C-alpha cells in the first residue's frame, strides 16, 4: 500500500505528473461554458488521473464541497488557484450555489466540480448542481476516476446472483434512525443482487447490528480504502458486530460494504425470509404490514403464513 507523503512535500513530486497531464490531455477539446464533474482520490493522492490534473489546471473556477480541503489538494499537486477561483458548493447551499455556477458558465467559464473525495454526486453533493446545469441547457462533462463503490466491488469477488445475473444495487447510507434502518435492511434482504452500502465510523456499529439479522449472507467490509491502513474482509453478516469489537482499529475510517447476493436455496423463498426476520423483531400485525410493503405480496397471504410460522 502506497503511503503518500505529507501534503507540504507533494507539490514537487507532481511536477512531472503535471507535464504528463498536459502532454496526454491538452490536445483534447475542453468546451468553454461547461461544467466538468471531476473525480478525485478517495484517500491515496496517487490515484488522481492525468485528465483530472489537466482540467483542474485549466478550469476558471473550481466548485467544491470544502474550499479549504480542495485548496490543500490542489496545492499538493502543484496547482495554484486564488481564493476567488474556489466556490463552495455543499449540501447546505447547493440549491443557491447552482445559480452562481450558471452565471459563471453563461460567461463562458469552465467550471470544475469536485467533492471532498471520490466521484461527485455519489452520496456526495453535486447531483442538484448537475441537474440544474442540464435543465439550463448547458453542457456537463464527466471525468471518471476513484470511487469507493467500484473499488470495493472489484475486490469483493461478487458472483452472479441466484438467477445468474451479476448486477448490483447501490443503497448508499441507510437511515440513521434505528427503526428505519432495520426496515431498510429487511427490505434489502429480499434483494437477490449484491448491495453496496456506505457508512461513517460513528455509525458503523449500529449498522453492523442491523445487518447481523441477515445471518450467513456474505458481507465484504472495506475500510480506509486506498490508504495506508486499508483493510478488506469478507465474513457472514452475523459475525460483523463481533469483527468490529475484536479490534478497536476496525471501527476507524470510512466504510464501504458489499452485501453479496443471497445463495439459492430449496427452503423458504425470499418473501418467507423477510417475514421471518420481521417477526423476530416486531408484533405479528406490524410484521405482516411491513412485509407486504417490502415484497408486494398480498397481506392476507402473508398473515396466514405468519400464523403458520408462529405456530411452528
Amino acid at each position: 500500500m502506497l503511503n503518500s507523503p505529507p501534503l507540504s512535500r507533494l507539490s514537487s513530486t507532481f511536477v512531472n505528473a503535471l507535464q504528463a497531464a498536459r502532454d496526454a490531455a491538452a490536445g483534447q477539446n475542453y468546451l468553454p461554458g461547461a461544467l466538468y464533474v471531476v473525480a478525485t482520490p478517495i484517500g491515496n493522492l496517487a490515484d488522481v488521473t492525468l485528465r483530472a490534473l489537466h482540467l483542474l489546471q485549466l478550469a476558471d473556477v473550481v466548485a467544491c464541497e470544502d474550499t479549504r480541503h480542495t485548496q490543500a489538494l490542489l496545492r499538493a499537486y502543484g496547482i495554484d488557484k486564488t481564493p476567488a477561483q474556489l466556490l463552495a458548493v455543499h449540501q447546505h447551499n447547493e440549491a443557491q450555489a447552482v445559480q452562481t455556477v450558471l452565471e459563471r458558465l453563461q460567461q463562458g467559464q469552465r467550471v470544475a466540480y469536485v467533492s471532498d473525495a471520490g466521484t461527485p454526486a455519489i452520496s456526495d453533493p453535486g447531483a442538484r448542481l448537475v441537474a440544474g446545469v442540464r435543465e439550463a441547457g448547458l453542457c456537463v462533462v464527466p471525468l471518471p476516476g476513484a470511487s469507493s463503490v467500484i473499488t470495493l466491488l472489484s475486490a469483493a469477488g461478487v458472483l452472479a446472483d441466484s438467477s445468474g445475473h451479476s448486477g448490483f444495487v447501490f443503497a448508499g447510507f441507510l437511515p440513521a434512525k434505528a427503526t428505519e434502518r432495520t426496515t431498510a435492511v429487511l427490505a434489502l434482504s429480499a434483494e437477490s443482487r449484491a448491495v453496496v452500502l456506505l457508512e461513517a465510523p460513528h455509525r458503523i456499529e449500529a449498522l453492523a447490528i442491523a445487518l447481523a439479522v441477515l445471518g450467513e449472507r456474505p458481507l465484504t467490509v472495506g475500510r480506509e480504502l486506498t490508504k495506508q491502513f486499508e483493510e478488506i474482509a469478507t465474513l457472514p453478516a452475523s459475525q460483523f458486530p463481533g469483527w468490529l469489537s475484536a479490534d478497536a482499529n476496525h471501527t476507524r475510517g470510512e466504510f464501504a460494504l458489499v452485501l453479496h447476493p443471497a445463495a439459492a436455496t430449496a427452503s423458504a423463498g425470499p418473501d418467507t425470509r423477510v417475514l421471518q426476520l420481521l417477526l423476530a423483531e416486531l408484533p405479528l400485525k406490524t410484521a405482516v404490514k411491513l412485509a407486504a410493503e417490502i415484497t408486494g405480496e398480498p397481506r392476507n397471504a402473508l398473515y396466514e403464513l405468519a400464523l403458520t410460522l408462529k405456530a411452528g
Side-chain angles (χ1 to χ4, degrees), residues 289-310:
K289 179 178 180 294
L290 285 175
E293 293 175 359
I294 291 168
T295 66
E297 294 293 320
R299 187 176 298 188
N300 289 343
L302 288 170
Y303 188 82
E304 292 298 324
L305 178 57
L307 292 175
T308 301
L309 291 173
K310 281 286 190 181

Side-chain angles (χ1 to χ4, degrees), residues 67-131:
T67 56
R68 293 170 299 179
H69 176 90
T70 297
Q71 184 71 282
L73 181 71
L74 294 174
R75 287 173 176 167
Y77 294 132
I79 299 172
D80 292 320
K81 296 292 182 185
T82 66
Q85 290 179 291
L86 297 178
L87 175 65
V89 181
H90 46 73
Q91 63 178 344
H92 302 296
N93 78 340
E94 191 171 0
Q96 297 81 7
V98 169
Q99 188 57 42
T100 301
V101 171
L102 289 177
E103 291 172 0
R104 300 293 188 103
L105 295 175
Q106 289 162 351
Q107 294 169 12
Q109 296 184 15
R110 297 180 182 90
V111 179
Y113 181 72
V114 299
S115 59
D116 283 349
T119 302
I122 309 298
S123 285
D124 274 336
R128 185 173 294 183
L129 173 61
V130 169

Side-chain angles (χ1 to χ4, degrees), residues 149-150 153 158 166-171 191 193-196 258:
V149 174
I150 302 304
L153 275 171
V158 173
S166 57
F168 71 91
V169 175
F170 176 61
E191 175 57 64
R193 294 166 292 181
V195 179
V196 181
V258 174

Side-chain angles (χ1 to χ4, degrees), residues 207-257:
L207 178 62
I209 292 171
L211 291 173
V213 301
L214 300 180
E216 295 301 303
R217 188 158 174 178
L219 178 72
T220 294
V221 181
R223 69 174 197 88
E224 293 289 83
L225 292 173
T226 78
K227 300 178 184 177
Q228 181 180 6
F229 299 108
E230 174 184 88
E231 189 167 10
I232 299 173
T234 298
L235 62 161
S238 61
Q239 296 180 17
F240 189 23
W243 183 85
L244 286 176
S245 63
D247 185 340
N249 290 319
H250 285 173
T251 59
R252 296 174 180 170
E254 300 297 322
F255 287 82
L257 308 99

